[in-house]
Amino acid sequence: MLMLVKRLLSPLLLLAAFFVLVQSLSAQTGSQLPQFGMTLSNGRFFNSSELTKDKPVLLIYFAPDCDHCHTLMNAFFKNAASFARAEVIMVTFTPLSEVTAFTRKHQTARYPNIRVGSEGASNFLRLYYKLQNTPFAALYNKEGKLVASYRKNPSID
């Protein structure tokens, strides 16, 4: 009888430990703004530690050749003044030449709170957020805690 209990209890304990681990990991993933880096269109490396403290952060992950991203970005830049109190980070995985073309098209230099860059082949943010599609948006409060994330066709509203 004791042998049977040990045989049943051992896998159950392992299973329970697994579920506790998975829940603690999923609770942590995305709850805090991750430390990341990207290369800006001017070639300078930007690290998330350079973000202005005590400001909300809107992180938008996009691809310059994505139709849904074009729709989101056109709407965003029509309302860019509404985001003046936040740090806006626009990140892509595409080459720097595409980032530069994007920044020229949307004249992002006019907005001191907007930074656009490429994370290149590191794909850190793509993996961190487990992205399958673009665009993706995540909104963090001024303490750096996740308020909301939008995986499918985020709306500017």
Side-chain angles (χ1 to χ4, degrees), residues 58 60 71-80 82-83 153-157:
L58 172 61
I60 301 173
T71 301
L72 175 66
M73 294 304 181
N74 288 335
F76 175 85
F77 283 106
K78 284 180 185 171
N79 297 288
S82 302
F83 295 91
N153 299 330
S155 167
I156 286 304
D157 297 333

Side-chain angles (χ1 to χ4, degrees), residues 9-25:
L9 193 57
S10 182
L12 287 175
L13 285 174
L14 273 172
L15 189 60
F18 174 77
F19 281 117
V20 168
L21 178 65
V22 166
Q23 266 202 298
S24 70
L25 286 176

